[in-house]
Amino acid sequence: MDKKNSWQEFVIPRLIRASGYSAIVFVALIFYFLLREGLPALAEVKLGELLSQRWYPIEAHFGILPLITGSLIVTLGAMLVAIPFGIGTAVFLSEIAPRWLREVLKPLVELLGGLPSVMLGFLGILVLSPFLRIFLNLPTGLTALAGSLLLGGIAVPTVVSIAEDALDAVPMSYREGAWALGATRWQTIWRVTLPAARSGVLTALMLGVGRTIGETMTVMMVTGNAPVMAIALDSILHPVRTMTATIAAEMGEVATGSTHYHVLFFIGMLLFLISLVVNVLASSVVFRSKKRAERVLS
Amino acid sequence: MDFRARLALLLLILLTACGAGEQDPSSNSPAVYIENKGSDTMVNLALAWAERYQAEYPDVRISVTGGGSGTGIAALVNGTVDIANASRAMKSEEIETAQAAGIDPVEFIVARDAIAVIVHPDNPVSQLTLQQLSDIYSGRIDNWSEVGGEDRPIVRLSRETNSGTHVYFLETVLRLGDKTNTTLFSPDTLLLPSSEVIINEVRQNPNAIGYDGLGYVPEDLKIVTVAEADGGPYVLPMISTVNDKSYPIARDLYMYTAGEPTGALLDYLDWIRSEEAQQIVSELGFVPILAYNP
C-alpha cells in the first residue's frame, strides 16, 4: 500500500510538471518554425517593398501594411462590440439576474461560443452585409464593419464566460460592505465588484482579442478581402483584407519555399508577435495593479 | 527526420499496393486506376465524366481531385497522377521542369470555357467593350454613369489571386492579351473566396460587377455582352458564340498525360472527346469541342 503510494508520489508530480513545461516547449517550437519559414522573407524582399501599400503576391508586390491595418481595424471594431456587450452580460449574469435565469442564460451564451465560424460567415453574407449596404447606403456591405460585428459576436461568449467567473469569485463580503456604506447596487458593481475582479475581466478581454485577431473563416467571407490601407476614420465602412484571411486564402496554392510562401509565414510570425505583445501588456497591467493593491492592504 | 518520414510513407504505399495486389485476383476483375487531378474550374466536369465512364466500364476506377491547375501539373510531374486537368496551357517553365524529371507532357483540349461578366438584373448597363472592362477593373472607371449606367459607384468583384480564372481574366481582359502590359486590379477590388460568394453579392447588390465561368452563372443574373473593340459587335457568351470564337473571353480546357497515353488511359481520353462525353460538357454549362473539331 505504502509502496504503491510512493510510486504514485514519484510519477504523478512529474507528469504534471511535464505537461506544464510541454506548453512552453510547444510554443517555442511553433515560434521556431515560424521564424525558420518566415525570416527568409526579409532577405528575399526589400524592407521598403515589404512596408509598401500594394499586396499583389502573384506579381511580387508584397506590401503587408494594408493587411496589418486591416487586421487591426477589424479587431478594434470587434472589441468595441465585445467589451460593452461581454462585460455587460457578465455583470448581468453574475450580479443582477436571478439564479434560475442565470442557469439558463450562461449555457446558452457558451453554446453561442461553439457556433462554427463558417456558419456565422454565411449569416454575414446572406443577412448582415445586404442589411448594412442598404441601411448605411454603402457601395457594398462586405466591409470591415461586417467583420467587426460578427467577430464581436464571436468574442462575446469568451469574454462573458471568463469575466463572469471572475465576478463570481469576488467575495460576497465586498458587496455587503459597500451596501452597508449606503452604496447603490450600480455603485457597488462599478466601484467595488468590477475593480475587485479587474484581473479576471482583463484576462477575459485579452482572450477575446486573441480570439478576434486569429479568427479566419468569418472575416474571409464578409470583409471583401480588398488589400487597401485602412487608416482613415471611415475605413471601417470599406472592404479590408486581414492577415489571417490572406494566409488562409493563399497558403493552399503557394509553392513551398517560394518568396510568397516565406512572406505568408512572415505574416504568421507578425500575428504571433502581436498576440504575444497583447498578452504581455495584459499581464503587466494585472501585475502592477495587484502590487498596488497589496501595498494599500499592508 | 524528413528522410525517415519519407521512408515510412514509401513503406505505407508499398504495403497498400501489396494489399491491393492480393485482393485483385480474388475479385476476378483486375481494375484499372486512373488518378485525375487539377483545375478547380474543371472538377465538376471531370467528376461527371468519371462517373459516367465508370458506370459503363466497371473495371475502371477513376479518382478526381481539384486543387488548381498548377497543383495538377505539379502532381503529373511528380508522377502521382495519370491525368492533370488544367484551365490554361502549361507554361514553358513547367514543361522544362517536366522534361527535367523525364516526363514528356502530352496536351489534349477537352472542352472550352467562357468567362461571363455579370451584373445585377436591375443594372441598365448591358454591353461593355474589353477596354471598358479593363478600365473598370483597373480603377480608371469608378462610376456606372461613365459606361452609360446610373450614377452609382462600381463595386468590383473578383476571385482570389490563386484562382486560374483570376489570372486568365487579368491577362485577357485587364491587360487585353498584351504580355508587356502591367495593368493590375484596382486595390479596392473585392477578392472573394468562391463563386458562390461572388454570385450572391451580384444578386443583391446593384453596384456590383463580377465575372465567373459561364457554367456557374445562374439564370437570375444579368450577363453583359462584350465587344472586342469599340463599336464592334457585342456578343453574349453562349455555346455557339464561344465555338465560332466571336466571344472574346473564352479559353480552352486541357488534360495532360505523361507521355503518349496507352491502354485504358487512351480509351478514356478518346471517350472524353466523343459525342457522349461532350454532351456532358454542354449539360454543365461549358462549351463542347466537337462543333469545330469533328
Side-chain angles (χ1 to χ4, degrees), chain A residues 54 56-59 61 125-126 129-130 133 138-142 220-221 224-228 239 241 245 249-250 253, chain B residues 40 67-68 71 153 155 160-162 166-167 170 175 184-193 197 200-201 204-207:
Chain A
R54 190 74 159 111
Y56 197 68
I58 56 173
E59 304 259 322
H61 294 281
I125 288 175
L126 295 175
S129 98
R133 181 179 64 76
L138 300 170
T140 173
L142 298 172
M220 187 157 90
M221 292 169 81
N225 301 324
V228 285
R241 188 178 181 86
E250 295 171 13
E253 286 272 316
Chain B
D40 285 323
T71 314
V155 172
E160 276 284 355
T161 51
N162 57 15
H166 175 101
V167 176
L170 174 74
R175 298 180 172 170
L184 289 179
F185 277 91
S186 165
D188 61 3
T189 305
L190 272 61
L191 300 175
L192 301 178
V197 183
N200 191 69
E201 178 71 4
Q204 56 91 7
N205 189 345
N207 303 322

Side-chain angles (χ1 to χ4, degrees), chain B:
Chain B
M1 187 70 182
D2 201 0
F3 173 74
R4 272 193 200 171
R6 280 187 199 184
L7 198 70
L9 196 69
L10 195 71
L11 275 174
L12 200 71
I13 292 168
L14 279 176
L15 280 175
T16 37
C18 290
E22 281 162 13
Q23 269 176 359
D24 273 349
S26 58
S27 66
N28 271 335
S29 59
V32 182
Y33 291 95
I34 298 177
E35 289 280 348
N36 186 195
K37 186 184 179 74
S39 163
D40 285 323
T41 312
M42 292 169 68
V43 148
N44 286 343
L45 180 60
L47 270 174
W49 277 336
E51 272 168 26
R52 179 77 65 86
Y53 194 73
Q54 288 178 97
E56 286 172 31
Y57 303 88
D59 56 335
V60 180
R61 286 278 163 273
I62 304 169
S63 92
V64 178
T65 40
S69 303
T71 314
I73 290 167
L76 185 76
V77 173
N78 292 336
T80 53
V81 299
D82 304 298
I83 301 175
N85 303 333
S87 54
R88 54 169 171 82
M90 267 176 89
K91 296 175 192 160
S92 52
E93 310 95 78
E94 285 170 338
I95 296 176
E96 278 163 27
T97 319
Q99 281 166 346
I103 283 170
D104 192 23
V106 180
E107 176 183 298
F108 297 87
I109 295 176
V110 292
R112 288 184 177 247
D113 178 27
I115 308 280
V117 177
I118 47 180
V119 295
H120 191 273
D122 294 343
N123 193 328
V125 175
S126 59
Q127 54 182 43
L128 292 166
T129 64
L130 277 185
Q131 183 65 52
Q132 281 175 324
L133 278 171
S134 168
D135 288 345
I136 287 174
Y137 268 98
S138 60
R140 283 189 287 268
I141 293 180
D142 243 347
N143 195 299
W144 281 110
S145 62
E146 292 173 63
V147 289
E150 296 163 339
D151 179 22
R152 286 176 172 281
I154 297 180
V155 172
R156 310 164 185 91
L157 310 178
S158 163
R159 293 290 302 278
E160 276 284 355
T161 51
N162 57 15
S163 144
T165 315
H166 175 101
V167 176
Y168 176 71
F169 196 80
L170 174 74
E171 287 167 355
T172 315
V173 178
L174 266 86
R175 298 180 172 170
L176 304 163
D178 179 0
K179 287 226 164 25
T180 59
N181 193 328
T182 55
T183 309
L184 289 179
F185 277 91
S186 165
D188 61 3
T189 305
L190 272 61
L191 300 175
L192 301 178
S194 70
S195 290
E196 291 79 51
V197 183
I198 291 183
I199 284 164
N200 191 69
E201 178 71 4
V202 173
R203 183 178 283 137
Q204 56 91 7
N205 189 345
N207 303 322
I209 182 170
Y211 64 85
D212 208 350
L214 184 58
Y216 293 110
V217 178
E219 299 264 312
D220 58 341
L221 298 183
K222 181 167 167 183
I223 297 180
V224 175
T225 59
V226 179
E228 205 159 358
D230 280 356
Y234 289 90
V235 184
L236 189 72
M238 47 197 204
I239 290 174
S240 60
T241 55
V242 175
N243 272 337
D244 62 19
K245 300 203 171 181
S246 59
Y247 184 70
I249 323 173
R251 59 179 170 175
D252 297 334
L253 299 177
Y254 304 88
M255 280 188 166
Y256 286 93
T257 56
E260 283 294 340
T262 51
L265 209 54
L266 181 63
D267 292 343
Y268 183 48
L269 282 162
D270 281 341
W271 176 81
I272 281 175
R273 289 172 293 165
S274 75
E275 201 169 320
E276 182 188 0
Q278 291 296 315
Q279 185 78 37
I280 300 174
V281 173
S282 335
E283 281 164 17
L284 289 180
F286 292 103
V287 181
I289 50 167
L290 276 182
Y292 48 85
N293 194 15

Side-chain angles (χ1 to χ4, degrees), chain A residues 80-149:
Chain A
L80 287 181
V81 176
I83 289 175
F85 278 96
I87 294 183
T89 311
V91 165
F92 175 75
L93 283 179
S94 150
E95 307 296 314
I96 299 163
R99 183 150 206 96
W100 65 267
L101 187 61
R102 180 177 159 187
E103 268 161 19
V104 175
L105 275 184
K106 198 170 183 199
L108 275 182
V109 169
E110 276 162 5
L111 197 69
L112 195 69
L115 214 62
S117 55
V118 65
M119 265 177 57
L120 274 173
F122 270 115
L123 199 76
I125 288 175
L126 295 175
V127 182
L128 183 63
S129 98
F131 170 76
L132 286 178
R133 181 179 64 76
I134 294 162
F135 185 66
L136 297 173
N137 194 21
L138 300 170
T140 173
L142 298 172
T143 54
L145 181 62
S148 289
L149 291 174

Side-chain angles (χ1 to χ4, degrees), chain A residues 3 56 64 167 264:
Chain A
K3 223 175 186 180
Y56 197 68
I64 58 175
L167 288 171
L264 287 181

Side-chain angles (χ1 to χ4, degrees), chain A residues 40 68 73 102 109 120 142 151 155 159 173 182-183 197-198 200 214 237 274:
Chain A
I68 296 175
I73 198 163
R102 180 177 159 187
V109 169
L120 274 173
L142 298 172
L151 286 194
V159 174
S173 55
R198 173 159 49 185
L237 299 179
I274 290 174

Side-chain angles (χ1 to χ4, degrees), chain A residues 216-291:
Chain A
T216 307
M217 200 62 211
T218 313
V219 282
M220 187 157 90
M221 292 169 81
V222 302
T223 55
N225 301 324
V228 285
M229 289 294 286
I231 41 175
L233 268 180
D234 64 345
S235 289
I236 191 106
L237 299 179
H238 291 284
V240 294
R241 188 178 181 86
T242 65
M243 299 158 86
T244 47
T246 305
I247 297 175
E250 295 171 13
M251 192 58 96
E253 286 272 316
V254 76
T256 312
S258 64
T259 307
H260 186 187
Y261 174 87
H262 290 311
V263 173
L264 287 181
F265 269 100
F266 185 74
I267 296 171
M269 209 174 84
L270 288 182
L271 269 173
F272 187 94
L273 287 177
I274 290 174
S275 39
L276 194 72
V277 167
V278 166
N279 276 311
V280 167
L281 277 182
S283 55
S284 77
V285 170
V286 170
F287 188 63
R288 203 179 304 148
S289 66
K290 251 193 191 147
K291 259 168 81 181

